[in-house]
Amino acid sequence: VNVIARFGEVRVTQTSIPPKEIVTYSKEIQTDPIDFPESDDLLAEPVDGIETQTSATDTSQPATEEEEAEVQHALPTRELSEEERTHIMGSQDFGRFFQHASKMMQRALCETDVAIDYREDEEEGKNEVAAGAKVKLSRQFSEDRWSRRRAVTCLDWSQQHPELLVASYSNNDEAPQDPDGVVLVWNSKFNAQTPEYIFHCQSAVMSTTFTKFNPHLVLGGCYSGQIALWDIRSNKRTPVQRTPLSAQAHTHPIYCLSIVGTQNAHNLISVSTDGKMCSWSLDMLSQPQDSQELQYRTAKSVAVTSLAFPLGEVNNFTVGSEDGSVYSGCRHGSKAGIGEIFEGHTGPVTSLSSHTASGQVDFSNLFLTSSFDWTVKLWSQKHQQALYSFETSSDYVFDVQWSPVHPAVFASVDGVGHLDLWNMNTDTEVPVLSEPVDAVSALNRVRWSSTGQQVACGNADGTVYIYDVGEHFHQPRAEEWTRLKNTLQDLQVSDASSTPASGTGSTSAPY
């Protein structure tokens, strides 16, 4: 039987499966090592691999420039019109930016003294005593519009920011269109010719102070009897708060402001020539929390020109008056008001300073006064007559202040423009140093920095001077407190049989 084979179509699919790749890793660096040349200049000899990358970068540079050109072409610049420029420059945002940027630039330019000579200290160091007793002018601040031809009425250093110094100024009779009262905050760290902050009000500012527990607030006592409060954080130059003109508060010029108390419980104390002492809360200046008339016995009210609290005290105080007398008193208690009188000056008391340098011996009962009678007098709360009278000045003595760190050092300024630095442990007859600061204008105010390394003084023409003082004044030795105690005892013994007069003191009771 013949069989005929039949063929048909068959679909065949071929699949290729690669074998599983085994990947192994090594702890060695997975790059080819390159031997760099030992030469410092790596670009002197091109290295394989790096040359290619460099050339690639070079070729990409024109593309980047082209892209920048395209962007500039897409966003063409145009000149602002005069109206647009005026609008931008007059906006508050631009003003704040420009003011902040200007301060930053001034600080950067004044950061380093490129002319400093380090050899000078070595030469002066040969005479340690002489070098340590010197002063050097560090800064001089004056502003043509806001301070020139205005008398400096008060100075105060910031405790939180020690480089900041606030100064208050009287009115300028030659600029009746400007505000009468001006307060400027200067920065002693930078030799800038413009103040950090400018504040003003409609009445001459006779006293000013930083708030001890809030670095942003500045207070001013005005000639009108008002108290003005400025806030550094605000963009306003005018006060953010002020006390009203009321019979409940002051009606005469306020020459003294003081913050007393602690961080959690403190008050502002103000006194005026109207004979009234007021206690204020900084949160509410609409009316005083407490007020009292300062009267001695049944006499008329005391016209207060200066105020001081002894170290650590919030209740007991001492005030100077226009009649030349000094009074002590207390704010609270059964004997609140004026208690004792200290007589000795023959002219109005211009300033009063309590001893603040704490150490081995407590001298917190001591205080100094200056007067129009050309004298500075040393007093003790334990005696009603002056312990000693310093009488070297040839004009009014406008201000005096104890050093905050040295127990025997104090500074005074007078009408002939002299800054006198005294050290009672060295000499009680003449100052250790008398610096002729200004031969034309009187020096009105003087203030030590908290470290005692600088002393600031202001004159009657609106200029503030800051002096760096030598270590003789701000680095007291441990025995200085004992030496001052002996000095006071020697003064009492030597003048025991004499009547208080020039260079003498009453000694019927210990200091």
Side-chain angles (χ1 to χ4, degrees):
V1 178
N2 293 329
V3 179
I4 300 174
R6 298 181 178 178
F7 296 94
E9 294 181 359
V10 178
R11 180 176 296 177
V12 179
T13 302
Q14 184 177 1
T15 303
S16 177
I17 301 175
K20 182 178 180 181
E21 181 180 2
I22 301 176
V23 181
T24 59
Y25 296 92
S26 173
K27 294 182 179 180
E28 297 179 357
I29 299 175
Q30 300 296 315
T31 57
D32 296 333
I34 300 176
D35 295 331
F36 286 94
E38 297 181 358
S39 173
D40 293 337
D41 188 2
L42 299 178
L43 298 179
E45 298 180 6
V47 183
D48 295 341
I50 298 180
E51 181 181 2
T52 304
Q53 183 178 0
T54 305
S55 61
T57 304
D58 295 339
T59 57
S60 63
Q61 184 66 23
T64 303
E65 295 177 355
E66 292 177 0
E67 292 176 358
E68 292 179 355
E70 292 178 359
V71 172
Q72 294 178 0
H73 181 72
L75 299 174
T77 58
R78 66 179 181 85
E79 291 291 334
L80 295 176
S81 64
E82 186 66 25
E83 181 179 355
E84 290 174 329
R85 285 198 297 267
T86 304
H87 176 72
I88 292 176
M89 296 184 67
S91 64
Q92 295 184 355
D93 292 339
F94 180 81
R96 287 192 293 266
F97 161 76
F98 187 80
Q99 183 180 14
H100 179 71
S102 299
K103 289 181 180 179
M104 297 295 291
M105 291 300 297
Q106 289 178 355
R107 292 174 180 176
L109 292 173
C110 303
E111 181 68 23
T112 304
D113 184 4
V114 296
I116 188 171
D117 187 357
Y118 294 98
R119 298 172 298 177
E120 182 179 353
D121 292 337
E122 296 177 0
E123 296 174 357
E124 292 181 356
K126 296 178 181 179
N127 190 341
E128 182 178 356
V129 176
K134 290 184 177 181
V135 296
K136 179 182 178 182
L137 181 61
S138 173
R139 297 287 187 266
Q140 180 175 333
F141 296 126
S142 180
E143 214 278 336
D144 287 339
R145 177 182 178 185
W146 295 110
S147 69
R148 194 68 57 84
R149 293 177 293 277
R150 295 175 182 265
V152 177
T153 56
C154 191
L155 296 170
D156 188 40
W157 293 89
S158 172
Q159 295 190 10
Q160 290 84 359
H161 304 289
E163 69 275 13
L164 296 183
L165 175 71
V166 61
S168 60
Y169 301 83
S170 64
N171 62 311
N172 182 3
D173 295 333
E174 298 181 8
Q177 73 279 3
D178 288 340
D180 285 346
V182 173
V183 173
L184 303 180
V185 179
W186 299 98
N187 194 327
S188 63
K189 185 177 180 181
F190 306 103
N191 193 20
Q193 297 303 314
T194 56
E196 286 284 319
Y197 301 99
I198 300 173
F199 303 117
H200 54 71
C201 62
Q202 295 305 315
S203 178
V205 183
M206 311 309 297
S207 57
T208 186
T209 181
F210 282 105
T211 55
K212 187 183 301 184
F213 305 105
N214 191 331
H216 306 108
L217 302 181
V218 178
L219 291 161
C222 299
Y223 188 84
S224 63
Q226 289 180 292
I227 298 175
L229 174 66
W230 295 276
D231 194 334
I232 290 177
R233 297 166 296 184
S234 173
N235 294 320
K236 297 172 57 179
R237 292 185 174 182
T238 54
V240 296
Q241 283 193 73
R242 71 180 70 196
T243 60
L245 289 172
S246 169
Q248 295 180 346
H250 298 293
T251 56
H252 286 201
I254 301 175
Y255 290 103
C256 312
L257 294 174
S258 181
I259 302 290
V260 297
T262 62
Q263 174 71 41
N264 298 324
H266 56 271
N267 294 99
L268 169 66
I269 306 300
S270 62
V271 290
S272 170
T273 52
D274 59 8
K276 185 179 295 184
M277 171 180 283
C278 296
S279 176
W280 306 83
S281 171
L282 296 180
D283 296 330
M284 185 181 66
L285 294 180
S286 58
Q287 62 180 5
Q289 290 183 329
D290 182 36
S291 64
Q292 61 182 131
E293 294 290 336
L294 299 180
Q295 292 180 329
Y296 180 66
R297 296 180 180 177
T298 58
K300 63 180 181 179
S301 298
V302 177
V304 177
T305 57
S306 53
L307 166 72
F309 284 84
L311 181 64
E313 278 286 349
V314 297
N315 185 38
N316 298 321
F317 61 87
T318 310
V319 294
S321 66
E322 288 183 346
D323 62 7
S325 300
V326 180
Y327 303 88
S328 65
C330 56
R331 296 170 53 207
H332 308 292
S334 59
K335 296 182 179 180
I338 297 296
E340 301 290 340
I341 184 173
F342 304 83
E343 295 179 317
H345 284 295
T346 58
V349 177
T350 55
S351 69
L352 191 152
S353 176
S354 293
H355 195 281
T356 57
S358 58
Q360 303 171 354
V361 184
D362 182 17
F363 294 115
S364 59
N365 59 298
L366 298 179
F367 63 93
L368 292 165
T369 56
S370 62
S371 172
F372 280 175
D373 63 7
W374 300 9
T375 68
V376 173
K377 295 187 185 298
L378 173 66
W379 307 79
S380 171
Q381 297 285 356
K382 301 177 182 179
H383 198 345
Q384 292 181 318
Q385 292 185 347
L387 298 178
Y388 197 78
S389 182
F390 305 89
E391 302 185 359
T392 61
S393 180
S394 58
D395 206 321
Y396 297 157
V397 183
F398 286 104
D399 201 4
V400 64
Q401 190 187 31
W402 284 106
S403 166
V405 293
H406 198 298
V409 170
F410 66 89
S412 63
V413 291
D414 57 25
V416 295
H418 281 196
L419 168 65
D420 293 337
L421 299 184
W422 296 78
N423 187 339
M424 294 181 59
N425 290 340
T426 302
D427 197 334
T428 57
E429 297 292 334
V430 294
V432 175
L433 185 144
S434 184
E435 181 73 10
V437 177
D438 195 327
V440 178
S441 300
L443 292 180
N444 295 339
R445 287 292 174 257
V446 63
R447 281 296 179 274
W448 291 92
S449 64
S450 59
T451 61
Q453 298 180 7
Q454 291 182 315
V455 60
C457 50
N459 70 4
D461 194 42
T463 303
V464 175
Y465 305 89
I466 298 180
Y467 283 87
D468 294 331
V469 301
E471 60 183 17
H472 175 79
F473 297 106
H474 65 81
Q475 292 184 2
R477 295 186 294 269
E479 63 269 17
E480 296 291 348
W481 279 261
T482 304
R483 289 183 60 190
L484 178 58
K485 181 179 179 181
N486 296 333
T487 299
L488 295 173
Q489 291 175 348
D490 292 342
L491 291 176
Q492 294 174 358
V493 171
S494 62
D495 299 326
S497 60
S498 64
T499 303
S502 174
T504 63
S506 176
T507 58
S508 60
Y511 68 92

